[in-house]
């Protein structure tokens, strides 16, 4: 499936330009996951490369299909220079490896929690997975493979994550929108939730 990753990397370059940094993380029993960094003005984007090498399968599936199933990569966008966001490399790689390690299917509306700040001093330990098709368009693959979806990650404070569990992803996104929340601010406070 290395050819899938080559297509994904070329797709990133087309949509986001040349990466200005990259790093790789390998967890025991998983394939290598790279995180590419793209800088666009004051916005820094971190994109995983490796999650889409294999399709995700439901944890209840007796056998994982090596060809069919959803494929995805994760993209996190933050304002640069306000925090040491380059330290998000390991947490992002952990999230990208979660389908292999935990048998998760990462889909829009899901919450992913790393159990620690996403970067030093970050008020976020989890992210909300948003809909694909915005910043980086889906990448079609030869049938019967499903397209690779590029899922934006929206950092959530612990209070926002708890509120989302009760009220749902759409309600939290609406709350952010109505409050004019800058979701790229790496130091932002929780949106008012009363």
């Amino acid at each position: 499936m290395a050819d899938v990753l080559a297509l994904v990397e070329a797709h990133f370059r087309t949509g986001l330009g040349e990466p200005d940094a990259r790093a790789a993380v390998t967890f025991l029993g998983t394939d290598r996951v790279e995180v590419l960094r793209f800088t666009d003005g004051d916005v820094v984007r971190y994109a995983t490369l490796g999650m889409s090498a294999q399709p995700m399968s439901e944890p209840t599936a007796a056998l994982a299909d090596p060809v069919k199933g959803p494929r995805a990569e994760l993209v996190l966008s933050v304002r640069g220079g306000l925090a040491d966001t380059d330290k998000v490399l390991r947490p992002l790689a952990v999230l990208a490896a979660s389908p292999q390690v935990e048998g998760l299917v990462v889909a829009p509306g899901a919450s992913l929690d790393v159990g620690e700040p996403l970067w030093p001093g970050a008020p976020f330990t989890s992210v909300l997975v948003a809909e694909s098709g915005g910043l980086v368009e889906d990448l079609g693959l030869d049938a019967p493979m499903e397209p690779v979806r590029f899922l934006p990650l929206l950092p959530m404070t612990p209070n926002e994550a708890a509120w989302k569990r009760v009220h749902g992803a759409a309600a939290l996104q609406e709350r952010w929108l109505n409050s004019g929340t800058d979701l790229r601010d790496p130091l932002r406070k929780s949106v008012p939730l009363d």
Side-chain angles (χ1 to χ4, degrees):
M1 291 299 159
D3 55 336
V4 169
L5 296 184
L7 291 171
V8 168
E9 184 166 357
H11 195 67
F12 273 135
R13 289 174 193 273
T14 300
L16 301 176
E18 278 301 308
D20 59 8
R22 67 190 308 144
V25 178
T26 305
F27 301 100
L28 188 62
T30 67
D31 295 331
R32 169 180 150 133
V33 174
E34 288 189 84
V35 177
L36 310 179
R37 184 182 71 193
F38 300 88
T39 304
D40 180 15
D42 70 337
V43 176
V44 180
R45 293 191 171 88
Y46 300 93
T48 64
L49 179 63
M51 184 175 167
S52 62
Q54 318 228 352
M56 296 179 275
S57 60
E58 293 291 338
T60 56
L63 220 53
D65 189 311
V67 178
K68 293 180 186 174
R71 294 174 190 262
E73 294 291 352
L74 308 174
V75 181
L76 173 70
S77 299
V78 293
R79 298 225 178 275
L82 301 175
D84 190 7
T85 56
D86 280 352
K87 297 283 198 280
V88 78
L89 158 77
R90 188 165 179 77
L92 261 185
V94 167
L95 296 178
S98 62
Q100 283 185 57
V101 175
E102 300 173 35
L104 291 182
V105 174
V106 177
S111 299
L112 303 174
D113 196 315
V114 294
E116 62 185 36
L118 293 176
W119 51 82
F124 320 106
T125 60
S126 62
V127 293
L128 174 65
V129 180
E131 290 288 338
S132 68
L135 181 64
V136 182
E137 292 181 17
D138 295 348
L139 171 64
L141 300 175
D142 293 337
M145 293 189 283
E146 291 186 28
V148 177
R149 303 198 188 290
F150 299 90
L151 302 171
L153 300 180
L154 308 175
M156 293 188 293
T157 66
N159 284 346
E160 290 170 338
W163 196 86
K164 181 252 175 197
R165 279 192 293 278
V166 174
H167 300 281
L172 178 58
Q173 288 178 301
E174 186 176 321
R175 186 65 62 122
W176 282 335
L177 188 62
N178 291 340
S179 297
T181 305
D182 180 3
L183 296 174
R184 294 179 178 168
D185 180 351
L187 301 172
R188 74 171 180 83
K189 303 286 184 238
S190 182
V191 70
L193 298 169
D194 47 356

